[in-house]
Amino acid sequence: MSTEKEFLAQRKYKEITDPVDATLQYALGVKKGFFDILADNPTLGETFHYAMQGVQMIAEKPSPSWYPFKEVLKPDPKTSALKTIVDVGGGSGHWMTLIQETYPDLQ
């Protein structure tokens, strides 16, 4: 297995911007996105899921007040088009539940 040190040195320590060419992909020798790697390896996917739940339990509880959801998600005044928020993560939807409880009037 290749090392992170080798990966970073080969790229001259530049910022990693390619989601299929990062340290995990380098170590595994694949060119796939993170969640594709998890999908191909159910044990790794399950471990990641439980890790995300564990972090959620011990981390400082998030607060939707940290981000101006109500302002950002207002319909566009020119078109009245609604904006959408999507909870994409490895846990059980804690953030979305908190946002919905804090801002029940958001659709």
Side-chain angles (χ1 to χ4, degrees):
M1 185 179 288
S2 302
T3 69
E4 184 175 20
K5 182 178 178 182
E6 293 168 354
F7 172 82
L8 294 172
Q10 285 180 5
R11 284 150 182 82
K12 301 187 186 331
Y13 304 96
K14 293 183 180 176
E15 179 181 3
I16 300 166
T17 58
D18 186 345
V20 298
D21 187 27
T23 53
L24 176 64
Q25 289 80 0
Y26 181 78
L28 296 176
V30 299
K31 291 282 187 184
K32 295 180 177 182
F34 177 73
F35 290 101
D36 291 328
I37 293 170
L38 295 182
D40 290 346
N41 184 332
T43 302
L44 185 59
E46 186 175 357
T47 301
F48 175 74
H49 175 74
Y50 287 126
M52 292 297 95
Q53 286 183 326
V55 167
Q56 184 69 17
M57 285 189 258
I58 63 171
E60 180 179 357
K61 295 300 176 203
S63 169
S65 66
W66 297 348
Y67 185 81
F69 287 102
K70 197 161 188 138
E71 295 167 23
V72 173
L73 296 173
K74 283 192 297 192
D76 184 320
K78 295 177 184 171
T79 64
S80 298
L82 297 176
K83 296 180 183 176
T84 304
I85 183 170
V86 179
D87 183 6
V88 180
S92 300
H94 295 99
W95 260 108
M96 188 61 73
T97 300
L98 284 169
I99 293 165
Q100 290 173 325
E101 289 172 353
T102 304
Y103 304 108
D105 56 320
L106 289 179
Q107 297 178 355

XYZ file of all heavy atoms in Angstrom:
847
model
N 0.854 -1.180 0.000
C 0.000 0.000 0.000
C 0.897 1.240 0.000
O 1.874 1.318 0.710
C -0.924 -0.010 1.223
C -1.926 1.124 1.212
S -3.066 1.133 2.625
C -4.094 -0.249 2.214
N 0.557 2.197 -0.821
C 1.326 3.432 -0.914
C 1.020 4.331 0.267
O -0.003 4.205 0.919
C 0.987 4.144 -2.216
O 1.255 3.302 -3.314
N 1.894 5.276 0.495
C 1.714 6.149 1.652
C 1.262 7.544 1.252
O 1.464 7.981 0.117
C 3.024 6.278 2.450
O 3.971 7.019 1.656
C 3.596 4.929 2.830
N 0.678 8.220 2.221
C 0.254 9.605 2.006
C 1.459 10.489 1.713
O 1.388 11.384 0.869
C -0.492 10.106 3.238
C -1.050 11.495 3.061
C -1.892 11.932 4.246
O -1.759 11.361 5.336
O -2.680 12.856 4.067
N 2.560 10.223 2.373
C 3.784 11.010 2.156
C 4.217 10.931 0.691
O 4.539 11.949 0.081
C 4.886 10.495 3.073
C 6.178 11.252 2.971
C 7.207 10.700 3.942
C 8.525 11.420 3.809
N 9.540 10.867 4.713
N 4.187 9.726 0.108
C 4.540 9.556 -1.299
C 3.567 10.320 -2.196
O 3.970 10.999 -3.141
C 4.507 8.074 -1.683
C 5.562 7.238 -1.028
C 5.299 5.744 -1.211
O 4.227 5.365 -1.756
O 6.155 4.957 -0.792
N 2.288 10.174 -1.904
C 1.254 10.846 -2.700
C 1.478 12.351 -2.720
O 1.481 12.981 -3.784
C -0.130 10.520 -2.120
C -1.254 11.299 -2.740
C -1.813 10.899 -3.935
C -1.759 12.422 -2.113
C -2.859 11.603 -4.514
C -2.802 13.139 -2.682
C -3.347 12.724 -3.891
N 1.650 12.935 -1.549
C 1.820 14.390 -1.464
C 3.108 14.847 -2.143
O 3.129 15.877 -2.820
C 1.780 14.836 -0.001
C 0.425 14.627 0.694
C 0.548 14.905 2.181
C -0.648 15.469 0.054
N 4.179 14.097 -1.976
C 5.455 14.455 -2.604
C 5.339 14.417 -4.124
O 5.831 15.319 -4.810
C 6.556 13.518 -2.119
N 4.681 13.394 -4.662
C 4.506 13.287 -6.114
C 3.728 14.473 -6.673
O 3.937 14.877 -7.810
C 3.781 11.995 -6.481
C 4.628 10.772 -6.373
C 3.861 9.520 -6.755
O 2.711 9.563 -7.192
N 4.507 8.375 -6.581
N 2.835 15.007 -5.894
C 2.013 16.149 -6.333
C 2.577 17.488 -5.874
O 1.908 18.500 -5.930
C 0.577 15.960 -5.862
C -0.127 14.928 -6.746
C -1.182 14.172 -6.017
N -1.803 13.172 -6.858
C -1.286 11.958 -7.095
N -0.135 11.615 -6.556
N -1.911 11.095 -7.871
N 3.814 17.439 -5.405
C 4.515 18.655 -4.950
C 3.723 19.416 -3.896
O 3.702 20.631 -3.870
C 4.861 19.539 -6.136
C 5.748 18.835 -7.161
C 6.223 19.755 -8.226
C 6.980 19.113 -9.345
N 7.744 17.954 -9.182
N 3.001 18.668 -3.058
C 2.274 19.197 -1.900
C 1.201 20.221 -2.276
O 0.819 21.066 -1.486
C 3.250 19.781 -0.879
C 4.269 18.752 -0.459
C 5.521 18.699 -1.070
C 3.963 17.798 0.493
C 6.443 17.725 -0.718
C 4.880 16.815 0.847
C 6.109 16.785 0.232
O 7.012 15.819 0.573
N 0.682 20.107 -3.487
C -0.390 21.000 -3.927
C -1.721 20.542 -3.345
O -1.900 19.391 -2.979
C -0.470 21.028 -5.453
C 0.738 21.680 -6.085
C 0.579 21.748 -7.580
C 1.823 22.405 -8.169
N 1.777 22.413 -9.621
N -2.675 21.455 -3.306
C -4.012 21.162 -2.801
C -4.657 20.041 -3.619
O -4.552 20.012 -4.846
C -4.878 22.423 -2.884
C -6.283 22.229 -2.399
C -7.110 23.494 -2.510
O -6.625 24.516 -3.008
O -8.272 23.435 -2.098
N -5.319 19.143 -2.939
C -5.999 18.032 -3.593
C -7.378 18.518 -4.019
O -8.191 18.910 -3.182
C -6.123 16.827 -2.638
C -4.742 16.371 -2.200
C -6.897 15.699 -3.288
C -4.762 15.429 -1.024
N -7.656 18.495 -5.312
C -8.943 18.986 -5.808
C -9.715 17.948 -6.613
O -10.889 18.150 -6.896
C -8.750 20.234 -6.688
O -7.881 19.893 -7.774
C -8.143 21.382 -5.884
N -9.071 16.868 -6.988
C -9.727 15.838 -7.789
C -10.306 14.774 -6.856
O -9.557 14.078 -6.168
C -8.716 15.212 -8.743
C -9.341 14.226 -9.716
O -10.499 13.799 -9.479
O -8.677 13.873 -10.695
N -11.629 14.616 -6.826
C -12.232 13.676 -5.878
C -11.928 12.207 -6.157
O -12.174 11.364 -5.313
C -13.732 13.956 -5.989
C -13.893 14.552 -7.342
C -12.629 15.309 -7.628
N -11.392 11.887 -7.325
C -11.021 10.494 -7.592
C -9.509 10.304 -7.612
O -9.013 9.244 -7.972
C -11.654 9.965 -8.909
C -13.165 9.979 -8.822
C -11.149 10.731 -10.108
N -8.784 11.339 -7.218
C -7.328 11.253 -7.162
C -6.851 11.920 -5.875
O -6.218 12.968 -5.884
C -6.694 11.925 -8.381
C -5.183 11.706 -8.440
O -4.702 10.691 -7.909
O -4.484 12.565 -9.020
N -7.198 11.287 -4.774
C -6.802 11.798 -3.458
C -6.027 10.687 -2.737
O -5.739 9.644 -3.303
C -8.041 12.216 -2.674
N -5.707 10.941 -1.493
C -4.846 9.999 -0.774
C -5.454 8.605 -0.637
O -4.746 7.608 -0.767
C -4.476 10.545 0.615
O -5.667 10.902 1.313
C -3.577 11.756 0.517
N -6.744 8.503 -0.376
C -7.369 7.185 -0.247
C -7.285 6.420 -1.565
O -6.909 5.246 -1.592
C -8.832 7.313 0.196
C -9.611 5.998 0.277
C -9.012 5.082 1.358
C -11.070 6.259 0.549
N -7.613 7.082 -2.661
C -7.566 6.431 -3.966
C -6.135 6.011 -4.302
O -5.904 4.931 -4.847
C -8.109 7.380 -5.047
C -9.591 7.591 -4.969
C -10.038 8.589 -3.904
O -9.240 9.155 -3.179
N -11.341 8.805 -3.817
N -5.181 6.845 -3.966
C -3.768 6.521 -4.203
C -3.373 5.285 -3.403
O -2.751 4.364 -3.924
C -2.908 7.725 -3.812
C -1.427 7.536 -4.041
C -0.886 7.650 -5.316
C -0.579 7.252 -2.985
C 0.475 7.484 -5.532
C 0.787 7.088 -3.190
C 1.308 7.203 -4.461
O 2.655 7.043 -4.671
N -3.750 5.256 -2.142
C -3.395 4.120 -1.277
C -4.020 2.818 -1.765
O -3.398 1.760 -1.697
C -3.821 4.406 0.158
N -5.252 2.907 -2.290
C -5.949 1.703 -2.750
C -5.663 1.362 -4.215
O -6.044 0.296 -4.688
C -7.460 1.865 -2.553
C -7.938 2.008 -1.113
C -9.438 2.268 -1.071
C -7.572 0.782 -0.289
N -5.037 2.312 -4.914
C -4.737 2.082 -6.329
C -5.962 2.098 -7.214
O -6.050 1.345 -8.188
N -6.932 2.956 -6.895
C -8.165 3.051 -7.682
C -8.421 4.496 -8.091
O -7.865 5.425 -7.510
C -9.387 2.511 -6.906
C -9.197 1.047 -6.563
C -9.662 3.326 -5.666
N -9.263 4.670 -9.093
C -9.696 6.002 -9.529
C -11.219 6.057 -9.425
O -11.937 6.022 -10.416
C -9.264 6.272 -10.969
C -7.787 6.435 -11.165
C -7.350 7.796 -10.719
C -5.885 7.995 -11.079
N -5.371 9.253 -10.606
N -11.702 6.064 -8.190
C -13.139 6.095 -7.922
C -13.418 7.127 -6.851
O -12.556 7.415 -6.028
C -13.628 4.739 -7.405
C -13.526 3.610 -8.374
C -14.048 2.344 -7.736
C -14.032 1.200 -8.720
N -14.577 -0.012 -8.142
N -14.641 7.616 -6.833
C -15.068 8.513 -5.777
C -15.174 7.775 -4.445
O -15.308 6.543 -4.402
N -15.119 8.533 -3.374
C -15.137 7.954 -2.029
C -16.336 7.037 -1.804
O -16.195 5.913 -1.329
C -15.123 9.086 -0.990
C -15.201 8.600 0.429
C -14.119 7.982 1.024
C -16.361 8.764 1.166
C -14.187 7.530 2.341
C -16.434 8.319 2.477
C -15.337 7.695 3.060
N -17.533 7.497 -2.159
C -18.720 6.697 -1.898
C -18.812 5.488 -2.831
O -19.412 4.471 -2.482
C -19.983 7.557 -1.923
C -20.045 8.487 -0.745
C -19.717 9.819 -0.869
C -20.377 7.999 0.513
C -19.736 10.659 0.237
C -20.405 8.831 1.619
C -20.073 10.165 1.483
N -18.209 5.563 -4.014
C -18.113 4.380 -4.875
C -17.207 3.336 -4.235
O -17.481 2.135 -4.319
C -17.589 4.759 -6.261
C -18.584 5.585 -7.056
O -19.804 5.380 -6.877
O -18.144 6.437 -7.843
N -16.138 3.780 -3.601
C -15.248 2.857 -2.886
C -16.014 2.173 -1.755
O -15.924 0.963 -1.569
C -14.003 3.597 -2.346
C -13.129 4.068 -3.507
C -13.203 2.707 -1.394
C -12.003 5.013 -3.106
N -16.794 2.956 -1.006
C -17.589 2.374 0.080
C -18.620 1.385 -0.465
O -18.851 0.337 0.138
C -18.292 3.464 0.878
C -17.398 4.441 1.649
C -18.266 5.425 2.432
C -16.423 3.732 2.548
N -19.237 1.720 -1.587
C -20.250 0.829 -2.169
C -19.630 -0.492 -2.627
O -20.265 -1.541 -2.527
C -20.943 1.520 -3.345
N -18.397 -0.432 -3.101
C -17.709 -1.649 -3.555
C -17.208 -2.508 -2.399
O -16.853 -3.665 -2.603
C -16.521 -1.287 -4.450
C -16.951 -0.741 -5.798
O -18.140 -0.876 -6.155
O -16.085 -0.160 -6.491
N -17.146 -1.919 -1.218
C -16.632 -2.645 -0.058
C -17.616 -2.471 1.095
O -17.481 -1.538 1.894
C -15.244 -2.113 0.323
C -14.604 -2.882 1.448
O -15.285 -3.450 2.303
N -13.286 -2.888 1.468
N -18.630 -3.330 1.196
C -19.676 -3.171 2.209
C -19.149 -3.083 3.643
O -19.692 -2.328 4.447
C -20.546 -4.407 2.023
C -20.311 -4.834 0.621
C -18.881 -4.479 0.320
N -18.079 -3.810 3.952
C -17.531 -3.742 5.311
C -16.981 -2.354 5.592
O -17.223 -1.774 6.654
C -16.433 -4.814 5.510
O -17.005 -6.091 5.261
C -15.875 -4.758 6.920
N -16.260 -1.806 4.632
C -15.724 -0.449 4.786
C -16.866 0.562 4.863
O -16.838 1.491 5.674
C -14.789 -0.119 3.621
C -14.052 1.211 3.677
C -13.174 1.307 4.922
C -13.210 1.390 2.422
N -17.906 0.376 4.039
C -19.064 1.273 4.068
C -19.774 1.251 5.409
O -20.152 2.296 5.945
N -19.932 0.066 5.961
C -20.590 -0.055 7.262
C -19.736 0.578 8.363
O -20.257 1.269 9.239
C -20.850 -1.529 7.577
C -21.657 -1.744 8.830
C -21.997 -3.219 9.053
O -21.652 -4.063 8.216
O -22.625 -3.498 10.085
N -18.437 0.375 8.286
C -17.521 0.979 9.271
C -17.604 2.497 9.201
O -17.665 3.179 10.230
C -16.078 0.512 9.017
O -16.035 -0.911 9.118
C -15.112 1.130 10.004
N -17.633 3.042 7.979
C -17.746 4.492 7.809
C -19.061 5.002 8.397
O -19.092 6.009 9.105
C -17.654 4.855 6.324
C -17.888 6.315 6.054
C -16.924 7.253 6.359
C -19.084 6.741 5.505
C -17.146 8.601 6.114
C -19.313 8.089 5.260
C -18.331 9.020 5.570
N -20.145 4.304 8.115
C -21.459 4.702 8.625
C -21.442 4.763 10.157
O -21.889 5.740 10.762
C -22.525 3.726 8.135
C -23.881 3.985 8.702
N -24.665 5.043 8.296
C -24.586 3.342 9.655
C -25.798 5.036 8.971
N -25.785 4.007 9.801
N -20.919 3.715 10.798
C -20.870 3.695 12.261
C -19.934 4.773 12.802
O -20.201 5.362 13.847
C -20.489 2.311 12.779
C -21.602 1.310 12.627
C -21.400 0.114 11.963
C -22.877 1.572 13.127
C -22.435 -0.809 11.816
C -23.909 0.666 12.980
C -23.676 -0.524 12.330
O -24.705 -1.412 12.182
N -18.847 5.028 12.096
C -17.927 6.084 12.530
C -18.616 7.444 12.493
O -18.465 8.258 13.411
C -16.676 6.092 11.651
N -19.399 7.693 11.443
C -20.111 8.972 11.341
C -21.144 9.109 12.455
O -21.321 10.183 13.027
C -20.786 9.116 9.978
C -19.832 9.270 8.819
S -18.823 10.773 8.902
C -17.330 10.197 9.661
N -21.805 8.023 12.789
C -22.764 8.062 13.892
C -22.042 8.324 15.210
O -22.528 9.070 16.055
C -23.543 6.757 13.972
C -24.577 6.616 12.888
C -25.375 5.341 13.031
O -24.866 4.324 13.471
N -26.631 5.401 12.640
N -20.873 7.706 15.397
C -20.096 7.904 16.620
C -19.620 9.334 16.763
O -19.704 9.925 17.842
N -19.164 9.909 15.673
C -18.722 11.310 15.702
C -19.890 12.199 16.086
O -19.758 13.123 16.885
C -18.134 11.725 14.332
C -17.972 13.230 14.237
C -16.806 11.026 14.092
N -21.044 11.904 15.529
C -22.241 12.696 15.831
C -22.581 12.645 17.314
O -23.016 13.627 17.901
C -23.425 12.177 14.995
C -24.692 12.967 15.157
C -24.604 14.349 14.559
O -23.743 14.650 13.769
N -25.504 15.213 14.959
N -22.366 11.490 17.942
C -22.714 11.341 19.355
C -21.751 12.071 20.285
O -22.160 12.563 21.328
C -22.754 9.858 19.718
C -23.977 9.152 19.195
S -24.112 7.494 19.869
C -23.542 6.517 18.519
N -20.473 12.152 19.910
C -19.494 12.759 20.816
C -19.158 14.199 20.472
O -18.615 14.920 21.289
C -18.188 11.935 20.879
C -17.493 11.896 19.526
C -18.455 10.550 21.415
C -16.108 11.300 19.555
N -19.468 14.614 19.261
C -19.129 15.970 18.826
C -20.078 16.986 19.457
O -21.157 16.645 19.931
C -19.207 16.066 17.308
N -19.647 18.238 19.407
C -20.524 19.317 19.855
C -21.794 19.255 19.024
O -21.756 19.079 17.809
C -19.831 20.665 19.641
C -20.650 21.842 20.071
C -19.932 23.167 19.862
O -18.779 23.171 19.446
O -20.555 24.193 20.126
N -22.919 19.353 19.676
C -24.184 19.246 18.963
C -24.321 20.406 17.977
O -24.129 21.563 18.328
C -25.365 19.245 19.933
C -25.385 18.026 20.839
C -25.484 16.746 20.042
C -25.400 15.533 20.923
N -24.975 14.343 20.236
N -24.643 20.081 16.723
C -24.770 21.136 15.724
C -25.996 21.998 15.988
O -26.949 21.567 16.610
C -24.929 20.365 14.411
C -25.479 19.050 14.822
C -24.929 18.763 16.198
N -25.914 23.194 15.503
C -27.033 24.110 15.630
C -27.302 24.747 14.278
O -26.400 25.337 13.688
C -26.714 25.206 16.653
O -27.693 26.212 16.593
N -28.514 24.622 13.772
C -28.829 25.268 12.502
C -28.614 26.781 12.542
O -28.507 27.409 11.500
C -30.302 24.927 12.283
C -30.501 23.662 13.035
C -29.614 23.801 14.255
N -28.533 27.350 13.731
C -28.316 28.797 13.819
C -26.906 29.180 13.366
O -26.629 30.355 13.164
C -28.551 29.285 15.250
O -27.579 28.744 16.123
N -26.036 28.207 13.191
C -24.675 28.484 12.726
C -24.644 28.898 11.262
O -23.666 29.429 10.781
C -23.781 27.270 12.887
C -23.569 26.819 14.294
C -23.901 27.489 15.446
C -23.001 25.601 14.722
N -23.572 26.755 16.542
C -23.009 25.576 16.129
C -22.485 24.503 14.056
C -22.518 24.528 16.870
C -21.997 23.451 14.798
C -22.011 23.468 16.183
N -25.701 28.620 10.530
C -25.759 28.900 9.097
C -27.096 29.568 8.801
O -28.122 29.154 9.330
C -25.640 27.588 8.312
C -25.559 27.772 6.827
C -24.353 28.104 6.213
C -26.685 27.641 6.022
C -24.276 28.278 4.853
C -26.620 27.809 4.656
C -25.412 28.125 4.074
O -25.339 28.310 2.712
N -27.107 30.574 7.945
C -28.362 31.309 7.692
C -29.303 30.575 6.724
O -29.623 31.059 5.645
C -27.863 32.624 7.105
C -26.605 32.253 6.395
C -25.970 31.186 7.253
N -29.779 29.401 7.137
C -30.628 28.593 6.269
C -31.838 29.367 5.768
O -32.187 29.312 4.595
C -31.113 27.326 6.997
C -30.044 26.302 7.182
C -29.430 26.150 8.416
C -29.652 25.494 6.137
C -28.450 25.191 8.594
C -28.666 24.542 6.306
C -28.062 24.392 7.538
N -32.494 30.064 6.661
C -33.736 30.760 6.290
C -33.470 31.792 5.188
O -34.249 31.922 4.246
C -34.347 31.420 7.521
C -35.790 31.788 7.319
C -36.464 31.999 8.647
C -37.927 32.161 8.428
N -38.748 31.474 9.359
N -32.355 32.510 5.293
C -32.028 33.511 4.278
C -31.593 32.862 2.966
O -32.020 33.269 1.885
C -30.917 34.416 4.793
C -31.310 35.248 5.983
C -30.108 35.891 6.668
O -29.063 36.055 6.025
O -30.230 36.211 7.858
N -30.750 31.861 3.062
C -30.209 31.216 1.874
C -31.283 30.453 1.098
O -31.251 30.389 -0.125
C -29.043 30.274 2.259
C -28.571 29.458 1.079
C -27.893 31.077 2.845
N -32.254 29.892 1.807
C -33.269 29.066 1.163
C -34.543 29.812 0.770
O -35.504 29.204 0.325
C -33.625 27.876 2.072
C -32.479 26.900 2.322
C -32.884 25.859 3.351
C -32.030 26.242 1.042
N -34.524 31.133 0.919
C -35.696 31.908 0.496
C -35.919 31.716 -1.002
O -34.961 31.637 -1.771
C -35.486 33.399 0.773
C -35.650 33.794 2.212
C -35.728 35.295 2.380
C -34.451 35.951 1.936
N -34.335 37.355 2.317
N -37.173 31.661 -1.426
C -37.431 31.564 -2.867
C -36.830 32.759 -3.605
O -36.744 33.865 -3.067
C -38.957 31.580 -2.964
C -39.425 31.116 -1.625
C -38.395 31.628 -0.649
N -36.427 32.540 -4.822
C -35.881 33.602 -5.658
C -36.978 34.633 -5.903
O -38.038 34.291 -6.426
C -35.395 33.003 -6.979
C -34.718 34.019 -7.869
O -35.196 35.176 -7.955
O -33.699 33.658 -8.479
N -36.758 35.904 -5.533
C -37.824 36.903 -5.685
C -38.203 37.174 -7.139
O -39.318 37.588 -7.420
C -37.241 38.157 -5.028
C -35.767 37.936 -4.991
C -35.547 36.466 -4.954
N -37.299 36.907 -8.071
C -37.595 37.154 -9.481
C -38.463 36.045 -10.083
O -39.280 36.300 -10.953
C -36.297 37.268 -10.281
C -35.459 38.459 -9.885
C -34.159 38.482 -10.653
C -33.285 39.620 -10.164
N -31.951 39.569 -10.713
N -38.264 34.818 -9.616
C -38.960 33.691 -10.246
C -39.869 32.932 -9.291
O -40.616 32.071 -9.722
C -37.941 32.681 -10.797
O -37.206 32.128 -9.706
C -36.997 33.324 -11.788
N -39.783 33.223 -8.015
C -40.497 32.490 -6.961
C -40.070 31.027 -6.880
O -40.745 30.219 -6.259
C -42.011 32.574 -7.142
O -42.420 33.914 -7.044
N -38.963 30.681 -7.537
C -38.482 29.293 -7.516
C -37.976 28.951 -6.122
O -37.298 29.753 -5.472
C -37.358 29.115 -8.529
N -38.366 27.772 -5.666
C -37.907 27.304 -4.363
C -36.494 26.768 -4.478
O -36.078 26.273 -5.518
C -38.831 26.208 -3.840
C -40.267 26.605 -3.566
C -41.079 25.378 -3.148
C -40.326 27.655 -2.472
N -35.749 26.869 -3.395
C -34.412 26.297 -3.329
C -34.486 25.018 -2.518
O -35.396 24.820 -1.729
C -33.450 27.298 -2.705
C -33.307 28.547 -3.553
C -32.367 29.528 -2.934
C -32.309 30.789 -3.773
N -31.486 31.815 -3.153
N -33.541 24.156 -2.724
C -33.566 22.836 -2.105
C -32.337 22.627 -1.244
O -31.240 23.028 -1.615
C -33.609 21.747 -3.192
O -34.733 21.974 -4.026
C -33.678 20.367 -2.590
N -32.538 21.984 -0.108
C -31.422 21.557 0.722
C -31.462 20.030 0.762
O -32.523 19.430 0.867
C -31.494 22.157 2.144
C -30.268 21.747 2.945
C -32.764 21.772 2.843
C -30.137 22.479 4.270
N -30.291 19.422 0.635
C -30.182 17.966 0.621
C -29.182 17.559 1.691
O -28.090 18.107 1.768
C -29.705 17.466 -0.756
C -29.556 15.960 -0.763
C -30.661 17.921 -1.851
N -29.558 16.610 2.514
C -28.666 16.083 3.544
C -27.965 14.852 2.977
O -28.558 13.795 2.847
C -29.480 15.722 4.791
C -28.614 15.222 5.938
O -27.377 15.261 5.826
O -29.180 14.798 6.951
N -26.708 15.021 2.592
C -25.920 13.917 2.043
C -24.821 13.621 3.047
O -23.937 14.430 3.267
C -25.284 14.296 0.688
C -24.463 13.143 0.143
C -26.359 14.728 -0.291
N -24.897 12.477 3.674
C -23.891 12.162 4.675
C -23.908 10.698 5.039
O -24.609 9.895 4.441
N -23.131 10.370 6.047
C -23.008 8.987 6.445
C -23.768 8.645 7.702
O -23.641 7.546 8.215
N -24.541 9.576 8.214
C -25.237 9.329 9.473
C -26.689 8.976 9.264
O -27.043 8.263 8.331
N -27.522 9.519 10.119
C -28.947 9.166 10.082
C -29.854 10.382 9.933
O -30.981 10.379 10.412
C -29.317 8.415 11.369
O -28.564 7.247 11.476
N -29.369 11.426 9.293
C -30.209 12.587 9.035
C -30.376 13.537 10.207
O -31.347 14.288 10.261
N -29.429 13.529 11.147
C -29.528 14.409 12.315
C -29.615 15.884 11.922
O -30.405 16.636 12.481
C -28.332 14.214 13.249
C -28.281 12.866 13.868
N -27.481 11.861 13.377
C -28.949 12.346 14.921
C -27.642 10.780 14.120
N -28.531 11.042 15.055
N -28.781 16.285 10.959
C -28.775 17.692 10.563
C -30.111 18.103 9.969
O -30.667 19.140 10.304
C -27.659 17.961 9.544
C -26.449 18.571 10.159
C -25.255 17.965 10.375
C -26.305 19.906 10.636
N -24.385 18.834 10.964
C -25.001 20.045 11.128
C -27.155 21.012 10.704
C -24.517 21.227 11.673
C -26.670 22.194 11.240
C -25.364 22.287 11.717
N -30.634 17.294 9.059
C -31.896 17.640 8.421
C -33.018 17.724 9.446
O -33.856 18.623 9.389
C -32.237 16.630 7.328
C -33.430 17.042 6.500
S -33.229 18.611 5.617
C -32.105 18.124 4.336
N -33.021 16.820 10.392
C -34.046 16.842 11.446
C -33.942 18.123 12.251
O -34.960 18.787 12.525
C -33.898 15.613 12.366
O -34.058 14.435 11.571
C -34.922 15.624 13.481
N -32.727 18.511 12.620
C -32.542 19.752 13.381
C -32.981 20.979 12.581
O -33.608 21.886 13.115
C -31.077 19.911 13.790
C -30.605 19.057 14.946
C -29.079 19.109 15.068
C -31.243 19.518 16.241
N -32.659 20.988 11.301
C -33.049 22.127 10.453
C -34.568 22.202 10.350
O -35.168 23.272 10.491
C -32.402 22.006 9.054
C -30.882 22.168 9.176
C -32.988 23.028 8.086
C -30.117 21.730 7.952
N -35.209 21.056 10.142
C -36.680 21.046 10.041
C -37.344 21.459 11.348
O -38.363 22.141 11.347
C -37.172 19.657 9.612
C -36.823 19.348 8.180
C -37.155 17.914 7.816
O -37.039 17.007 8.636
N -37.552 17.701 6.567
N -36.784 21.031 12.474
C -37.349 21.425 13.766
C -37.143 22.908 14.037
O -38.001 23.568 14.624
C -36.710 20.596 14.885
C -37.156 19.151 14.875
C -36.369 18.283 15.862
O -35.382 18.780 16.461
O -36.734 17.098 16.016
N -35.992 23.440 13.624
C -35.684 24.852 13.870
C -36.465 25.765 12.919
O -36.892 26.842 13.319
C -34.173 25.107 13.693
O -33.469 24.217 14.570
C -33.812 26.545 14.035
N -36.649 25.336 11.690
C -37.331 26.141 10.679
C -38.502 25.363 10.075
O -38.485 24.979 8.911
C -36.363 26.553 9.561
C -35.149 27.287 10.061
C -33.897 26.683 10.076
C -35.250 28.600 10.506
C -32.781 27.365 10.532
C -34.138 29.286 10.972
C -32.911 28.666 10.973
O -31.805 29.329 11.425
N -39.560 25.117 10.859
C -40.673 24.295 10.354
C -41.396 24.928 9.165
O -42.072 24.227 8.418
C -41.598 24.157 11.563
C -41.233 25.280 12.472
C -39.786 25.582 12.211
N -41.242 26.241 8.971
C -41.926 26.892 7.864
C -41.202 26.733 6.530
O -41.756 27.032 5.478
C -42.157 28.370 8.163
C -40.874 29.110 8.504
O -40.024 28.524 9.222
O -40.712 30.254 8.084
N -39.950 26.217 6.551
C -39.259 25.956 5.290
C -39.884 24.737 4.643
O -40.208 23.763 5.306
C -37.767 25.703 5.528
C -36.932 26.898 5.944
C -35.493 26.470 6.166
C -36.993 28.001 4.896
N -40.075 24.806 3.346
C -40.690 23.680 2.641
C -39.610 22.745 2.155
O -38.574 23.104 1.759
C -41.483 24.175 1.453
C -42.627 25.052 1.872
C -43.395 25.576 0.672
O -43.022 25.364 -0.465
N -44.478 26.269 0.937
